[in-house]
Amino acid sequence: MIRRIILILITVLLITSCAGAPAATEAHPATEAPATEPAATEPPAFQSLEAPTRQPSVVDTSTPIPAPTQIISTSTETPLPTLELPTEVVNPPARMVWDGTPTYPGDSTPGFAFRVSYDPEFWAVTTDQFGFPALAHRNISGCVISTTSGRGLPATTTVDHEMLRFDTVAYDVATVSENGVKKFVTYTGGDGTVITGFIVDFVEDEETCLAAAVGVLSTLTSVPVSQATPEP
């Protein structure tokens, strides 16, 4: 038995020694697979145990622009000075006259003056705030008749026209108002010989003032300058 085993071993050794060593071949793969870089991966997010820091709020330190203030323009009228009236005449005549130069001399007959008559109990000849002759009412404050001619008016005013006729006299009546408030009234006309203009101003009781003024202006007539009463 032992002999058989020895023979087997010898046979194996012989076979091994006779076999040639295999040629070492270096394997060159036809195509090398490109090295693949591992994909970049973001580090895993983790929750911080610290409390989040609050960003400071931006405070607007610019100077605030004030809201526009609406300015309401209010016109303040300067009150006219009170006219000084002459002392009432004792036992005056029923009517007195006021004569003057026409304010439209180019449309009037040369050498003639206008004349209006009035009751001296209610009216008095004086001078207005500009130094011109005027007829002022004794009982109605600020009710004054004075001479005038055409003039410009502010754009804020409105003018209403009407005709006023008497027996021998005709007037173009212009009522001037501002913001719906009547300011004054002008009367422009004459008897055909003289053409002149009057303005009636008032402060209070305008309707009574205008009615009294029309009563005076309705008496207008023309007289030769040689017969006219001198102006005050």
Side-chain angles (χ1 to χ4, degrees):
M1 185 66 182
I2 295 173
R3 187 177 179 182
R4 182 178 295 178
I5 293 172
I6 294 172
L7 289 175
I8 293 171
L9 291 175
I10 294 172
T11 303
V12 171
L13 289 174
L14 291 174
I15 294 172
T16 302
S17 60
C18 292
T25 59
E26 182 178 359
H28 294 280
T31 303
E32 292 183 2
T36 303
E37 295 181 1
T41 58
E42 295 180 0
F46 62 91
Q47 183 176 3
S48 175
L49 298 180
E50 297 180 359
T53 303
R54 176 176 297 180
Q55 296 293 333
S57 58
V58 178
V59 180
D60 187 5
T61 58
S62 60
T63 304
I65 301 175
T69 303
Q70 183 178 6
I71 301 176
I72 301 176
S73 177
T74 57
S75 58
T76 303
E77 295 183 357
T78 303
L80 298 177
T82 303
L83 301 183
E84 295 183 2
L85 302 183
T87 304
E88 188 174 355
V89 179
V90 179
N91 298 323
R95 307 291 295 184
M96 296 184 69
V97 297
W98 172 32
D99 300 337
T101 303
T103 58
Y104 292 90
D107 298 320
S108 302
T109 302
F112 283 85
F114 73 80
R115 170 175 288 179
V116 294
S117 63
Y118 61 92
D119 187 342
E121 180 181 355
F122 301 106
W123 296 92
V125 175
T126 182
T127 54
D128 62 13
Q129 64 272 14
F130 303 107
F132 295 103
L135 199 61
H137 202 284
R138 293 185 181 275
N139 301 330
I140 305 174
S141 177
C143 182
V144 180
I145 306 172
S146 55
T147 56
T148 189
S149 57
R151 59 180 180 176
L153 294 173
T156 56
T157 59
T158 58
V159 183
D160 296 322
H161 289 273
E162 62 176 331
M163 292 300 299
L164 183 62
R165 298 181 183 276
F166 301 98
D167 293 338
T168 60
V169 183
Y171 289 105
D172 173 64
V173 182
T175 302
V176 179
S177 303
E178 185 174 16
N179 297 325
V181 179
K182 192 179 298 184
K183 308 300 290 185
F184 58 85
V185 180
T186 62
Y187 298 81
T188 305
D191 63 351
T193 301
V194 296
I195 303 297
T196 190
F198 299 95
I199 181 172
V200 179
D201 291 295
F202 40 78
V203 175
E204 58 185 30
D205 203 359
E206 62 182 62
E207 296 302 328
T208 304
C209 173
L210 292 174
V214 168
V216 172
L217 299 179
S218 65
T219 67
L220 183 139
T221 187
S222 55
V223 295
V225 172
S226 60
Q227 300 177 13
T229 302
E231 297 181 0

